[in-house]
């Protein structure tokens, strides 16, 4: 085998050496084309196959758009073929989408729902064919139920009874379904009805009473007749919520406006009760109005239009006139006459009758309007209380009047009747008042119980007054203390000034004594010895005197500084 490959390679190399450049390029191009074809074939064969959701083309564009939009909401990539087939990437997604489309009635009316479960099985006998078909159908129904997002597992049992000769003896088809929901899922009534509808579409002749759907605990969840009372309570709860929301809307609107007008302290709450008729009613309105043959010409100061109450369509006139026949002889007595019976009955009669009948068929302009009303507001009742104004009474000195019990005296001013009437009219317009349906609006002026509020105000007032008194006493004491300090300071400075003057007077006297003693000693020619301190003092005094004589302004400034320092 190896020798064969070696000889083959040698021969291919020799042939390649004999090729020209053009032949080599053509051969390389052929190899490249073959490789590209093989790669394209593998890519096409490996691309995922699309699965049809409904095994029938959908011709209705509106139904096709609704189906595609619903599947897009589930986040599924949808492909619509040119023939109208809706396709998805895998079988699991197809089963889940079929369950949703059947549950929400999105299967077009022209499409047979049986085609959703249509699968061909080749068998040998009719019995085996039927058994295999029933097994495949049961398995496919189970797969569809499992494809629902809230279902974790499901078990389906279908009982096909034997065919009977007479229809009255034929037993119905029955189905039992056991569902294991996912933890935390919401398998509500709408989804259970979707499963029940899917079973009816899948099994021919299946009725609601022959379908039993239970949960993992064995509780039947499709007993909708037994849930009639629960549905009634749910409906009553929803209706009560609608009425409550309507009452909140009106209360917020009216109470907010009144509080802006009379302040929130005087209008604290508003009671409103709305009776609503939740039953569905078909109301038919018939209106008759005249024909306008010629409309009014624009710009004319007068109305030149032609209006008719009705238009003559047909007319029937019937006229009857009878004058009588008079006496008609019949010949000899005892002989039968030749007068016909019709005229014989009218013979020998005298009378005159004239009858005229005129029938007019006229067309009138008529318009009939039909509308369904539900729900409809019935009677509305509103009651609100507006408090008056409270004011504290003051005496002639503009001070609050205090009662003997230690509380402030107040005066109450009620709301004027005109204001109450205007508020009532405003509320009537705000709620759409209609006397024909029995609406009622009551606006009263009843004083609120403000005992606790007045008590808090009195405590605040007296506390504030006590604080003011304390502040006044404190300021008065501080004033007296400052006055005493000022008097003490003035007395001490006066005493200091007098002491200084006394010292200066004593020093002046001693200086005079010393000067007189020195003068006497000089006169007597005695040698007087002066101490160093005395000499220094004398020199300083002489310098000060000379400085005061030469610079009197600087000496005066120095004296002022000494006085200020002292």
């Amino acid at each position: 085998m190896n020798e064969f490959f070696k000889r083959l390679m040698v021969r291919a190399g020799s042939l390649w050496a004999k090729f020209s450049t053009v032949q080599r390029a053509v051969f390389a191009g052929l190899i490249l084309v073959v490789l590209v074809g093989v790669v394209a074939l593998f890519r096409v064969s490996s691309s995922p196959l699309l699965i049809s959701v409904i095994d029938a083309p959908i011709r209705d564009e509106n139904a096709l758009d609704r189906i595609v939009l619903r599947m897009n909401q589930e986040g599924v990539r949808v492909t619509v073929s040119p023939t109208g087939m809706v396709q998805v990437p895998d079988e699991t997604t197809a089963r889940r989408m079929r369950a949703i489309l059947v549950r929400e009635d999105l299967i077009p009316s022209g499409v047979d729902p049986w085609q959703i479960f249509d699968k061909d099985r080749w068998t040998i006998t009719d019995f085996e064919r039927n058994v295999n078909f029933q097994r495949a159908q049961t398995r496919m129904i189970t797969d569809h139920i499992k494809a629902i997002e809230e279902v974790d597992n499901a078990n389906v049992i279908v009982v096909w009874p034997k065919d009977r000769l007479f229809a009255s003896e034929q037993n119905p088809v029955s189905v039992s379904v056991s569902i294991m929901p996912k933890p935390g899922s919401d398998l509500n009534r709408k989804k259970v009805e979707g499963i029940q509808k899917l079973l009816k579409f899948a099994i021919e002749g299946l009725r609601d009473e022959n379908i039993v759907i239970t949960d993992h605990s064995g509780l039947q969840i499709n007993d909708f007749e037994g849930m009639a009372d629960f549905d009634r309570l749910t409906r009553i709860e929803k209706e009560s919520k609608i009425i409550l929301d309507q009452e909140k809307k009106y209360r917020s609107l009216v109470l907010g406006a009144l509080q802006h007008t009379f302040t929130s302290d005087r209008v604290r709450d508003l009671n409103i009760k709305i009776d609503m008729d939740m039953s569905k009613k078909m109301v038919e309105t018939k209106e008759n109005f005249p024909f306008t043959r010629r409309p009014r010409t624009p710009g004319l100061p007068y109305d030149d239009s032609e209006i008719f109450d009705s238009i003559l369509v047909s007319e029937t006139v019937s006229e009857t006139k009878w004058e009588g026949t008079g006496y008609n002889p019949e010949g000899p007595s005892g002989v039968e006459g030749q007068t016909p019976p019709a005229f014989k009955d009218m013979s020998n009669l005298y009378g005159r009758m004239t009858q005229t009948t005129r029938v007019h068929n006229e067309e009138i302009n008529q318009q009939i309007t039909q509308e369904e009303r539900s729900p409809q507001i019935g009677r509305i009742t509103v009651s609100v209380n507006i408090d008056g104004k409270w004011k504290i009474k003051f005496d002639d000195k503009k001070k609050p009047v205090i009662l003997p019990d230690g509380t402030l005296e107040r005066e109450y001013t009620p709301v004027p009747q005109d204001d109450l009437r205007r508020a009532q009219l405003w509320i009537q317009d705000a709620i759409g008042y209609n006397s024909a349906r029995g609406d009622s609006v009551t606006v009263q002026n009843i004083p609120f119980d403000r005992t606790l509020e007045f008590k808090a105000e009195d405590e605040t007032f007296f506390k504030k007054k006590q604080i003011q008194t304390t502040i006044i006493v404190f300021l008065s004491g501080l004033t007296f203390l400052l006055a005493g300090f000022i008097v003490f300071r003035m007395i001490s400075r006066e005493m200091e000034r007098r002491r200084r003057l006394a010292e200066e007077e004593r020093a002046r006297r001693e200086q005079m004594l010393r000067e007189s003693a020195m003068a006497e000693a000089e006169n007597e020619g005695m040698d007087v010895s002066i101490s160093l301190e005395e000499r220094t003092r004398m020199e300083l005094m002489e310098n000060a005197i000379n400085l005061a004589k030469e610079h009197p302004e600087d000496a005066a400034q120095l004296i002022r500084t000494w006085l200020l320092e002292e």
Side-chain angles (χ1 to χ4, degrees):
M1 182 65 68
N2 294 332
E3 294 295 332
F4 173 76
F5 282 111
K6 289 181 180 179
R7 289 196 301 268
L8 182 64
M9 293 297 295
V10 171
R11 188 174 181 180
S14 62
L15 291 175
W16 179 261
K18 293 178 182 180
F19 286 165
S20 63
T21 305
V22 178
Q23 290 176 340
R24 292 178 181 179
V26 172
F27 185 74
L30 290 175
I31 295 176
L32 181 62
V33 169
V34 171
L35 291 176
V36 171
V38 172
V39 172
L41 180 61
F42 275 103
R43 289 183 62 87
V44 171
S45 61
S46 63
S47 62
L49 298 177
L50 297 178
I51 306 300
S52 297
V53 178
I54 301 174
D55 296 334
I58 300 176
R59 307 300 182 184
D60 189 358
E61 295 183 359
N62 295 328
L64 183 61
D65 292 340
R66 288 194 298 269
I67 292 173
V68 173
L69 179 61
R70 183 64 182 90
M71 296 174 70
N72 288 334
Q73 292 176 357
E74 296 293 329
V76 177
R77 184 169 59 87
V78 186
T79 302
V80 180
S81 65
T83 59
M85 300 290 291
V86 179
Q87 298 172 337
V88 292
D90 52 65
E91 181 65 27
T92 303
T93 306
R95 288 197 299 268
R96 184 165 66 91
M97 291 300 103
R98 290 184 197 129
I100 293 175
L101 296 180
V102 172
R103 184 183 66 198
E104 299 186 4
D105 290 334
L106 293 178
I107 302 296
S109 58
V111 177
D112 185 7
W114 186 258
Q115 294 178 357
I116 297 176
F117 307 96
D118 188 13
K119 281 193 175 183
D120 294 333
R121 295 289 185 270
W122 295 95
T123 57
I124 299 173
T125 64
D126 292 340
F127 176 76
E128 292 179 349
R129 183 183 298 108
N130 292 333
V131 170
N132 291 336
F133 172 74
Q134 293 172 3
R135 291 177 59 188
Q137 191 177 28
T138 303
R139 185 168 58 251
M140 186 169 290
I141 294 173
T142 305
D143 293 340
H144 276 293
I145 297 176
K146 289 182 180 179
I148 299 176
E149 184 177 359
E150 288 77 9
V151 177
D152 189 15
N153 195 6
N155 186 15
V156 180
I157 300 176
V158 183
V159 178
W160 280 274
K162 295 181 179 180
D163 295 335
R164 300 291 183 178
L165 180 60
F166 299 101
S168 59
E169 299 178 356
Q170 181 67 40
N171 294 325
V173 182
S174 60
V175 177
S176 174
V177 181
S178 178
I179 295 177
M180 176 70 73
K182 292 182 180 179
S185 61
D186 182 19
L187 193 62
N188 52 28
R189 176 174 177 176
K190 183 177 180 182
K191 296 175 182 178
V192 174
E193 289 178 348
I195 296 175
Q196 185 168 323
K197 188 180 299 183
L198 185 144
L199 294 172
K200 291 172 62 179
F201 280 163
I203 302 174
E204 183 181 4
L206 184 62
R207 298 180 180 179
D208 293 339
E209 57 269 17
N210 297 325
I211 301 175
V212 177
I213 302 176
T214 61
D215 58 3
H216 62 284
S217 61
L219 180 63
Q220 185 176 356
I221 58 178
N222 70 324
D223 186 12
F224 303 129
E225 294 182 358
M227 297 176 63
D229 294 336
F230 178 77
D231 294 340
R232 183 176 61 86
L233 294 176
T234 304
R235 185 176 65 255
I236 292 174
E237 183 180 356
K238 292 181 179 179
E239 292 175 356
S240 300
K241 186 177 182 301
I242 293 175
I243 295 175
L244 183 61
D245 293 341
Q246 197 73 12
E247 290 176 351
K248 287 182 179 179
K249 176 182 176 182
Y250 280 104
R251 182 183 294 109
S252 176
L253 174 65
V254 179
L255 184 61
L258 290 176
Q259 288 180 347
H260 282 299
T261 305
F262 296 98
T263 70
S264 59
D265 183 59
R266 295 174 59 192
V267 185
R268 299 182 180 180
D269 197 8
L270 180 139
N271 300 318
I272 183 169
K273 183 67 175 67
I274 299 178
D275 297 333
M276 298 187 70
D277 185 6
M278 296 296 178
S279 60
K280 292 184 178 180
K281 294 182 179 179
M282 183 63 68
V283 180
E284 180 175 338
T285 305
K286 183 182 294 185
E287 297 178 350
N288 297 326
F289 48 92
F291 289 93
T292 302
R293 180 176 180 181
R294 185 178 64 183
R296 179 177 177 177
T297 304
L300 290 181
Y302 60 90
D303 187 4
D304 62 339
S305 61
E306 294 184 4
I307 299 176
F308 298 95
D309 295 337
S310 61
I311 296 177
L312 181 63
V313 178
S314 63
E315 181 179 10
T316 302
V317 179
S318 177
E319 183 176 359
T320 302
K321 186 176 182 182
W322 175 67
E323 297 292 341
T325 59
Y327 179 74
N328 187 9
E330 301 235 355
S333 61
V335 179
E336 187 70 24
Q338 301 298 320
T339 305
F343 291 97
K344 189 174 182 179
D345 293 339
M346 300 176 61
S347 64
N348 301 324
L349 296 178
Y350 295 91
R352 182 177 182 179
M353 182 181 68
T354 302
Q355 181 179 358
T356 303
T357 304
R358 187 180 299 271
V359 179
H360 288 271
N361 293 325
E362 296 188 357
E363 183 73 20
I364 60 175
N365 235 347
Q366 189 178 67
Q367 181 179 2
I368 300 176
T369 303
Q370 292 183 350
E371 57 181 346
E372 183 177 305
R373 296 181 180 178
S374 175
Q376 186 176 4
I377 295 179
R379 185 169 181 261
I380 301 178
T381 57
V382 181
S383 62
V384 62
N385 180 33
I386 303 177
D387 193 10
K389 296 181 180 179
W390 290 91
K391 292 184 179 180
I392 299 176
K393 296 184 66 175
F394 293 88
D395 55 12
D396 298 338
K397 297 181 180 180
K398 304 299 181 181
K399 294 182 178 181
V401 178
I402 301 176
L403 297 175
D405 59 353
T407 59
L408 298 176
E409 184 177 0
R410 293 174 175 84
E411 182 180 5
Y412 179 74
T413 303
V415 182
Q417 292 296 326
D418 293 341
D419 293 347
L420 294 178
R421 186 172 60 257
R422 285 194 289 266
Q424 182 178 3
L425 294 176
W426 187 91
I427 296 175
Q428 290 178 356
D429 292 339
I431 65 173
Y433 177 82
N434 186 1
S435 59
R437 64 187 180 193
D439 293 352
S440 175
V441 176
T442 303
V443 181
Q444 296 288 343
N445 174 214
I446 303 175
F448 293 154
D449 184 10
R450 299 177 180 268
T451 304
L452 298 178
E453 182 181 349
F454 290 162
K455 182 178 179 181
E457 289 181 357
D458 293 344
E459 291 178 355
T460 303
F461 173 77
F462 288 112
K463 185 176 181 180
K464 182 178 179 181
K465 186 176 181 181
Q466 184 179 4
I467 292 174
Q468 291 178 353
T469 304
T470 304
I471 293 174
I472 291 174
V473 172
F474 175 75
L475 292 177
S476 300
L478 184 61
T479 303
F480 284 121
L481 182 62
L482 291 176
F485 178 76
I486 293 173
V487 172
F488 173 76
R489 182 66 177 170
M490 292 176 62
I491 293 174
S492 61
R493 292 189 65 177
E494 182 65 21
M495 293 176 64
E496 182 69 21
R497 187 181 66 81
R498 292 183 180 183
R499 184 182 61 79
R500 189 173 60 253
L501 292 177
E503 290 179 356
E504 290 179 356
E505 182 66 23
R506 187 173 59 255
R508 187 177 60 78
R509 291 178 181 176
E510 291 177 357
Q511 181 66 24
M512 291 178 61
L513 291 175
R514 282 194 295 271
E515 290 179 356
S516 62
M518 290 177 65
E520 291 178 359
E522 288 178 358
N523 294 332
E524 294 178 358
M526 297 177 60
D527 186 9
V528 180
S529 61
I530 302 175
S531 63
L532 181 59
E533 294 179 358
E534 187 69 22
R535 187 178 300 279
T536 304
R537 183 173 178 278
M538 291 178 63
E539 290 178 359
L540 290 174
M541 185 176 296
E542 185 177 359
N543 293 332
I545 293 172
N546 295 331
L547 181 62
K549 291 180 180 180
E550 294 177 359
H551 304 284
E553 295 180 357
D554 295 339
Q557 184 66 29
L558 179 61
I559 295 172
R560 292 194 198 97
T561 303
W562 287 348
L563 293 176
L564 290 175
E565 289 179 356
E566 294 179 358

